[in-house]
Structures are given as structure tokens and as C-alpha cells.
């Protein structure tokens, strides 16, 4: 491999989300691509994206891409389902780098998993109203029926750490009962936070429903994409090097606390960025 190629492969992968939820994607990337350097940006000052307009989410996403580009990343992962649903084309245009969102890998996995062609999707209001999962799934599996349901309360419940609380289970029953009546055999957890509630969601839906985690699927899809482009880093990270860097637009301490509750390592802190400057 040429020295230039090695330099390129050593560069970090930029990962961004509207806040802390994208850490569920980050931890899958850590597992799946253990030799990669990762830079995370959480837009904690402007979260949530799920109740905002396409125009606003696109503007925010473009700013974050411009920030990540200043860190010289080799690829960008749009960990946020809402940003992937509403702004992926604009993000790709802004980045001029390989970009991967979480929606397509999730849609692909669900189309492969369903046996009866009835697939449920849960996500933020913006993601569900965008109809993006339906669009992608119908390209791969035109005969599939898709049933969407926005579950906005799952985000604060996950952030409060109430992953297996009776309150969460009660809310899950209310949100998911209509979906259960449709006879779905597969459910896409189409929001960064929902994998944290997986046990509760699984208990409510029963064992017959397969849960698809787009975070997991995205890590695998990114690995494939980087391999295809010859961009995988295969040099071990140096002993004293910090392979993971975290940036936020606000509340760095709160972010650190949450990150330490879900990542398999202790992070020392996150740096605050004035994202409106980008
Ligand atoms: N990260 C968002 C998503 O995956 C959820 C939180 C928000 O609404 O910003 O859609």
C-alpha cells in the first residue's frame, strides 16, 4: 500500500447525531470496526431534530458536516434517523465524502428478515412522516406492507435511563398495540434511542416479532463500504493514542455522563463547539 493510501486510511470517521442517541451507533461502530478512529458530534444544543422541519434539519446537518470536514474525516456516518431521513442527499452534497445514513441499512435488513411481508417502523414524527423507510423497502421488496408509528416519548424515557421501567412498558403498550394488530413479524427501531429500550419493546411485541436495529446494520454496511473503497484502517491504534473524540454543541458534562452509561469505555469528556459558526 502506498504511504498516501495509508495516510488516508488512518483518518477518522465522523459520526453525528442530534444529541446523545447516536452513541448507540457509535458503540456498534466500535465493535465492528475496532481499528478505526472515530469522531462523534452530538448537537446537544439543538436536539430534538424529530419535531423539526426538513429545512431546519438540513441546515443543522450541513453545519455539522462542515465542522466534521475541518477534522479531516475520511467518511461520515449520519447516526441520526431523522437527519438520514430528511437530509441525506444534502449531506452527501456538502460532504463530498462517502456518507452513510442509518435508514437504508435498516430497511435492507428488515426486508430480508420478514417472512410475511408485514413490517413495522417506529421513529420520530419527522422520520415516520417522511415515509423514507417505506420508499427504501418498496424498492427492495415491492410486495411488503409497511406500518409506521411515531413514538416521541421513547426519546426522553431512554435519556432518563428508564429502559426497563414499568412506565416505559406501559407507554410501549399504548404505542405498539395498533402495530401488533396489523400482524407485523418485523419491527425497525428507527430512532437512535430505541435500541436502548429493546428489551421492553421486545417484551411488549412478543418473540414472534424480529427487532431490527439500524445501528448494528449501519456498522456492517459501513465496513463493507470502506472495504469496497480500500479505506479500512488495518494498522493498530498506538498504545497512548486516544482513538475516540467527542464534540457537543452544549452540556458537555451531561453528555459525558450519558456516554459513560452506554459505551464500553469511560470517556473523560467532550469538547464544546459553537456549531452556528459553521
Ligand atoms: N436522533 C434522533 C433520531 O434518531 C432522535 C432524537 C431527536 O429527535 O433528535 O431520529
Amino acid at each position: 500500500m502506498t504511504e498516501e493510501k495509508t495516510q488516508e486510511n488512518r483518518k477518522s470517521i465522523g459520526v453525528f447525531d442530534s444529541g446523545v442517541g447516536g452513541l448507540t451507533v457509535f458503540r456498534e461502530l466500535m465493535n465492528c470496526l475496532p481499528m478505526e478512529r472515530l469522531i462523534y458530534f452530538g448537537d446537544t444544543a439543538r436536539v430534538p431534530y424529530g419535531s423539526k422541519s426538513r429545512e431546519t434539519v438540513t441546515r443543522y446537518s450541513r453545519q455539522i458536516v462542515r465542522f466534521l470536514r475541518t477534522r479531516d474525516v475520511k467518511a461520515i456516518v449520519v447516526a441520526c434517523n431523522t437527519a438520514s431521513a430528511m437530509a441525506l442527499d444534502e449531506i452527501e452534497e456538502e460532504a463530498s465524502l462517502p456518507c452513510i445514513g442509518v435508514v437504508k441499512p435498516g430497511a435492507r435488513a428488515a426486508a430480508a428478515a420478514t417472512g410475511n411481508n408485514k413490517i413495522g417502523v417506529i421513529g420520530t414524527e419527522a422520520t415516520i412522516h417522511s415515509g423514507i423507510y417505506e420508499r427504501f423497502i418498496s424498492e427492495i421488496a415491492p410486495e411488503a406492507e409497511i406500518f409506521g408509528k411515531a413514538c416521541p416519548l421513547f426519546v426522553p424515557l431512554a435519556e432518563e435511563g428508564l429502559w426497563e421501567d414499568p412506565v416505559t412498558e406501559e407507554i410501549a403498550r399504548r404505542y405498539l398495540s395498533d402495530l401488533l394488530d396489523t400482524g407485523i413479524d418485523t419491527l425497525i427501531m428507527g430512532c437512535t434511542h430505541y435500541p436502548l429500550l429493546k428489551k421492553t419493546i421486545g417484551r411488549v411485541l412478543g418473540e414472534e416479532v424480529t427487532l431490527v436495529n439500524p445501528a448494528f446494520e449501519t456498522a456492517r454496511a459501513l465496513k463493507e463500504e470502506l472495504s469496497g473503497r480500500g479505506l479500512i484502517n488495518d494498522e493498530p491504534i498506538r498504545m497512548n493514542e486516544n482513538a475516540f473524540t467527542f464534540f457537543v454543541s452544549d452540556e458537555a458534562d451531561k453528555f459525558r455522563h450519558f456516554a459513560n452509561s452506554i459505551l464500553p469505555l469511560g470517556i473523560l469528556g467532550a469538547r464544546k463547539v459553537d456549531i452556528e459558526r459553521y
Side-chain angles (χ1 to χ4, degrees):
M1 199 180 290
T2 65
E3 180 53 24
E4 205 179 312
K5 187 79 199 137
T6 316
Q7 289 283 351
E8 185 66 19
N9 293 9
R10 268 192 215 127
K11 288 182 179 175
S12 303
I13 297 166
V15 185
F16 83 87
D17 178 49
S18 55
V20 294
L23 291 167
T24 58
V25 179
F26 193 91
R27 71 178 177 187
E28 300 294 348
L29 296 171
M30 286 172 65
N31 271 336
C32 190
L33 292 157
M35 302 231 229
E36 297 295 339
R37 296 169 174 86
L38 304 174
I39 293 180
Y40 184 91
F41 179 86
D43 200 358
T44 45
R46 304 186 295 190
V47 66
Y49 284 10
S51 51
K52 296 201 168 68
S53 67
R54 184 180 296 272
E55 198 190 353
T56 301
V57 172
T58 304
R59 183 168 73 81
Y60 290 174
S61 301
R62 278 191 188 272
Q63 287 179 313
I64 297 168
V65 168
R66 291 200 280 271
F67 164 70
L68 288 174
R69 291 211 52 158
T70 66
R71 312 297 304 184
D72 200 20
V73 294
K74 64 180 175 186
I76 291 181
V77 177
V78 187
C80 180
N81 276 261
T82 305
S84 302
M86 298 180 104
L88 191 61
D89 289 348
E90 290 82 356
I91 290 167
E92 280 173 344
E93 181 196 84
E94 187 71 54
S96 313
L97 285 170
C99 289
I100 184 161
V102 285
V103 171
K104 214 177 236 176
R108 226 183 280 134
T114 185
N116 69 1
N117 280 321
K118 290 185 185 210
I119 300 172
V121 185
I122 54 175
T124 63
E125 284 167 48
T127 299
I128 296 305
H129 293 149
S130 75
I132 188 91
Y133 275 103
E134 284 90 326
R135 208 158 349 118
F136 282 143
I137 294 170
S138 67
E139 282 169 17
I140 324 164
E143 60 296 337
E145 271 183 280
I146 321 295
F147 304 91
K149 175 81 185 172
C151 303
L153 287 174
F154 280 173
V155 168
L157 288 167
E159 289 196 13
E160 284 298 319
L162 301 172
W163 303 346
E164 290 186 53
D165 195 271
V167 171
T168 308
E169 185 153 335
E170 171 57 25
I171 289 169
R173 282 192 199 289
R174 292 199 198 186
Y175 276 148
L176 304 175
S177 66
D178 291 353
L179 282 183
L180 261 181
D181 291 343
T182 63
I184 55 163
D185 71 351
T186 305
L187 179 83
I188 302 174
M189 297 183 287
C191 172
T192 45
H193 293 63
Y194 299 178
L196 299 172
L197 309 180
K198 187 175 175 189
K199 284 199 182 134
T200 301
I201 294 170
R203 213 168 20 246
V204 169
L205 291 180
E207 280 171 8
E208 312 74 51
V209 178
T210 304
L211 300 182
V212 172
N213 178 0
F216 173 77
E217 305 301 335
T218 300
R220 292 187 351 176
L222 178 69
K223 188 174 184 180
E224 226 172 84
E225 172 91 20
L226 293 180
S227 306
R229 292 172 180 263
L231 278 176
I232 293 267
N233 179 45
D234 47 19
E235 274 184 8
I237 306 282
R238 287 185 297 277
M239 276 287 275
N240 296 326
E241 185 187 343
N242 193 357
F244 310 121
T245 321
F246 299 89
F247 295 91
V248 289
S249 47
D250 204 3
E251 300 265 34
D253 249 9
K254 206 167 152 197
F255 176 89
R256 182 176 55 85
H257 188 73
F258 191 81
N260 286 336
S261 74
I262 68 168
L263 293 181
L265 52 83
I267 77 157
L268 295 176
R271 274 185 263 169
K272 192 170 154 186
V273 174
D274 179 5
I275 198 66
E276 290 290 358
R277 276 185 33 227
Y278 290 87

